[in-house]
């Protein structure tokens, strides 16, 4: 999760988030190169003598027309690739349904019979030592590690948004509509998120907690809840 005074992204825990971080770094380097070139040219113009040589220069005009187009292509191609990857859902191993309410989440494991629960934020007075205030819940989502997970997301009352930054997931929950997304956790751990759509007075108090475990631990957890 994020730390105080952190400037970068959280550590990626899914392949999609890894791609997003790499694209961010790629775009940042392109922007840095453009800013450096513009600063260098401005410095030359300010420090050098004024000249009329740049008034009629077809070569320069050709360069500053083609170069931005090449830069846009270098940014657009990886961006489109990631967009298609984020929208691709290929034979998920598990399907979860998240329903947003004011102000809690309901989760349904649709591949299991009668496996659903409500997830409320843990009040500060009941928070165990070492847990995070305003981020911990009474019932976490548990998913198997390195397995494709499909999330079906909707809302019961107003607009919500199911977002877990370290997984690269952010999908709106809209009443009367089913949106879907997918993710794969690449390592075991506990990943925190929050509702990212202003949904009322207690918008800040409906966190999301995803716990990634090995498959055998996930099977034991589902057996315990189903019994």
């Amino acid at each position: 999760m994020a730390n105080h005074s952190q400037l970068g992204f959280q550590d990626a825990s899914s392949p999609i988030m890894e791609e997003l971080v790499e694209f961010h770094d790629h775009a940042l380097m392109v922007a840095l190169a453009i800013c450096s070139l513009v600063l260098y040219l401005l410095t030359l113009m300010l420090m050098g003598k004024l000249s009329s040589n740049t008034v009629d220069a077809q070569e320069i005009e050709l360069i500053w027309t083609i170069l931005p187009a090449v830069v846009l292509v270098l940014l657009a191609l990886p961006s489109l690739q990631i967009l298609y990857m984020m929208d691709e859902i290929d034979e998920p191993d598990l399907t979860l349904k998240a329903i947003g309410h004011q102000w809690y989440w309901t989760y349904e494991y649709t591949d299991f019979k009668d496996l659903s629960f409500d997830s409320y934020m843990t009040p500060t007075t009941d928070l165990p030592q070492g847990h995070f205030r305003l981020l911990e819940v009474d019932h976490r989502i548990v998913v198997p590690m390195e397995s494709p997970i499909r999330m079906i997301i909707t809302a019961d009352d107003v607009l919500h948004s199911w977002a877990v930054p370290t997984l690269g997931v952010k999908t709106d929950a809209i009443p009367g509509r089913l949106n879907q997304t997918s993710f794969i956790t690449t390592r075991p751990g506990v990943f925190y998120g929050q509702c990212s759509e202003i949904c009322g007075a207690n918008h800040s108090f409906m966190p999301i907690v995803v716990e990634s475990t090995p498959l055998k631990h996930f099977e034991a957890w589902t057996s315990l809840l189903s019994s």
Side-chain angles (χ1 to χ4, degrees):
M1 63 173 295
N3 301 316
H4 294 291
S5 303
Q6 179 175 332
L7 298 179
F9 291 103
Q10 300 180 33
D11 293 337
S13 301
S14 71
I16 289 295
M17 190 58 191
E18 291 175 1
E19 293 288 339
L20 290 172
V21 172
E22 289 182 4
F23 175 70
H24 167 267
D25 296 341
H26 167 71
L28 199 62
M29 292 306 297
V30 172
L32 180 61
I34 293 173
C35 292
S36 300
L37 178 61
V38 172
L39 183 61
Y40 173 71
L41 294 177
L42 284 174
T43 304
L44 285 182
M45 294 184 65
L46 292 174
M47 300 300 292
K49 294 182 179 180
L50 294 178
S51 166
S52 61
N53 294 333
T54 59
V55 174
D56 186 16
Q58 284 80 12
E59 295 83 1
I60 294 296
E61 292 180 0
L62 188 64
I63 290 173
W64 69 40
T65 301
I66 294 178
L67 189 59
V70 173
V71 171
L72 289 176
V73 170
L74 291 176
L75 291 175
L77 290 180
S79 176
L80 290 174
Q81 180 186 14
I82 295 175
L83 284 175
Y84 279 109
M85 290 173 59
M86 294 176 68
D87 202 39
E88 186 69 23
I89 300 176
D90 185 20
E91 297 182 358
D93 292 342
L94 181 68
T95 299
L96 276 75
K97 185 178 181 181
I99 305 172
H101 307 273
Q102 290 182 310
W103 288 272
Y104 64 96
W105 294 95
T106 296
Y107 296 104
E108 299 176 1
Y109 285 74
T110 59
D111 299 310
F112 298 85
K113 185 178 181 180
D114 298 329
L115 183 51
S116 63
F117 52 84
D118 296 332
S119 180
Y120 290 86
M121 185 193 74
T122 303
T124 304
T125 54
D126 301 333
L127 196 65
Q129 187 174 5
H131 288 230
F132 297 106
R133 177 178 172 269
L134 302 183
L135 288 177
E136 195 54 70
V137 295
D138 56 354
H139 293 95
R140 297 174 173 177
I141 312 171
V142 180
V143 298
M145 182 180 64
E146 297 179 342
S147 297
I149 309 297
R150 174 172 58 188
M151 291 293 306
I152 299 177
I153 300 167
T154 186
D156 185 52
D157 36 41
V158 298
L159 289 176
H160 300 278
S161 184
W162 200 85
V164 183
T166 188
L167 298 177
V169 175
K170 182 181 183 295
T171 304
D172 287 342
I174 303 173
R177 176 170 178 171
L178 295 177
N179 289 332
Q180 67 176 359
T181 186
S182 65
F183 62 88
I184 301 175
T185 58
T186 55
R187 58 188 174 91
V190 179
F191 314 121
Y192 296 91
Q194 290 178 303
C195 176
S196 297
E197 190 76 44
I198 297 177
C199 55
N202 292 331
H203 157 68
S204 303
F205 307 112
M206 48 184 305
I208 301 160
V209 183
V210 179
E211 183 175 348
S212 173
T213 65
L215 181 59
K216 61 179 182 180
H217 294 166
F218 172 76
E219 292 175 343
W221 177 79
T222 55
S223 299
L224 181 63
L225 288 185
S226 301
S227 59

